[in-house]
Amino acid sequence: MSELVDLTQGERTALENLEERQRNVRRGAILQRENETGGELYILRKGLMMSYVLLDDGSRQILRFLFPGDMLGVSGLIYREAPETLCALSDCVVSPFDRGQLAQLIISHPRISAMILVYCQIERVSLTDRLAALGRTSAKARVAALLLELRNRLRATDKSVEDDFTLGLTQEEVGDATGLTAVHVNRMLRQLEEEGLIARENGRVTLLDENSLCRAANYVNRFERLDLGWLPRP
């Protein structure tokens, strides 16, 4: 949140209180399973996670990738059972907290609750972009958009990230996020390389021509051009 607004010391302390406990989650472990009950929310402190749903044919649709600082499990607040599965893509550290703590936070710090709404809307619009892409754009555009999204999310929490980053995903996982097979993902990555838009080496991706990549993907960074002038005063 401090990336978007100047937090007061009281707001910082309230958020730090949500992170008092820590839990290690090993790569591949399920933190929350779809359709199971659970009363906890989480802050992702370290690592990379994903949320997904299983379809009737047994295939998996990855909904979003989750990065340090993200609040996990918010989508399940209004349901008795979790609407999605949360799975660790790397060794992770999370801070679990009770729903009641969130309720108290909303009462005590209205601006933080408004910022949670902001992030939920950014996530909703990003998912809308993904939905539109799945139905209306090429396979190359979908893969290019995902690479840009991953780099931008990583850079939001690590200012040392520039044009190159560790992908941290298998081609199957990229496919489950873009509606493509692993073979098709591999073909699109090779095409982006051949066109001079990206380079790949030892699991790292370098964006060689970001402007052309954005045009090819019709990509919009939904964390930019925000209007937050309506937020409550601290």
Side-chain angles (χ1 to χ4, degrees):
M1 290 185 183
S2 59
E3 291 293 320
L4 299 182
V5 296
D6 292 326
L7 296 173
T8 67
Q9 185 56 51
E11 290 170 334
R12 289 180 180 275
T13 299
L15 291 171
E16 288 169 0
N17 289 340
L18 298 182
E19 301 184 44
E20 288 181 337
R21 293 189 292 152
Q22 293 189 24
R23 181 186 302 171
N24 293 320
V25 184
R26 290 182 297 177
R27 183 181 185 276
I30 300 296
L31 181 63
Q32 169 189 282
R33 195 176 299 277
E34 183 181 0
N35 295 326
E36 290 188 356
T37 57
E40 287 187 318
L41 301 171
Y42 309 88
I43 303 293
L44 180 57
R45 295 176 58 91
K46 179 181 178 182
L48 176 66
M49 301 191 74
M50 65 176 172
S51 69
Y52 66 83
V53 293
L54 293 177
L55 306 180
D56 289 342
D57 63 0
S59 61
R60 178 180 65 182
Q61 177 63 56
I62 294 177
L63 303 174
R64 62 185 69 82
F65 296 102
L66 304 158
F67 297 84
D70 283 348
M71 187 177 291
L72 315 180
V74 178
S75 61
L77 272 174
I78 60 173
Y79 299 104
R80 292 188 179 90
E81 295 86 25
E84 60 192 12
T85 295
L86 300 174
C87 177
L89 288 166
S90 66
D91 289 341
C92 296
V93 178
V94 301
S95 290
F97 62 95
D98 187 79
R99 295 182 182 192
Q101 289 178 263
L102 180 61
Q104 187 57 50
L105 185 71
I106 291 171
I107 295 170
S108 303
H109 298 280
R111 194 167 68 140
I112 291 181
S113 64
M115 285 301 299
I116 293 172
L117 173 63
V118 168
Y119 279 104
C120 286
Q121 290 306 303
I122 293 173
E123 187 176 90
R124 184 194 66 80
V125 174
S126 296
L127 282 172
T128 300
D129 290 344
R130 179 88 62 82
L131 177 61
L134 288 175
R136 296 294 182 180
T137 65
S138 67
K140 184 179 81 170
R142 294 183 225 170
V143 173
L146 182 61
L147 295 177
L148 287 161
E149 180 72 11
L150 291 171
R151 193 285 308 270
N152 289 341
R153 291 299 314 279
L154 288 168
R155 189 161 60 180
T157 54
D158 183 354
K159 298 306 180 185
S160 68
V161 175
E162 295 185 354
D163 294 329
D164 69 303
F165 61 98
T166 300
L167 182 57
L169 302 174
T170 66
Q171 291 183 3
E172 181 182 7
E173 288 161 350
V174 173
D176 287 347
T178 55
L180 304 169
T181 65
V183 172
H184 208 167
V185 169
N186 184 49
R187 190 180 303 129
M188 293 304 100
L189 289 170
R190 288 204 313 269
Q191 183 176 339
L192 292 171
E193 284 185 288
E194 291 165 359
E195 294 177 2
L197 300 180
I198 69 168
R200 291 185 294 162
E201 184 177 6
N202 298 325
R204 293 188 67 82
V205 173
T206 302
L207 309 185
L208 299 176
D209 188 343
E210 185 173 343
N211 290 334
S212 295
L213 197 64
C214 286
R215 286 194 296 270
N218 194 29
Y219 174 75
V220 178
N221 186 350
R222 294 303 184 181
F223 281 85
E224 295 180 341
R225 302 183 67 182
L226 301 175
D227 180 6
L228 303 181
W230 56 272
L231 286 173
R233 293 186 179 276

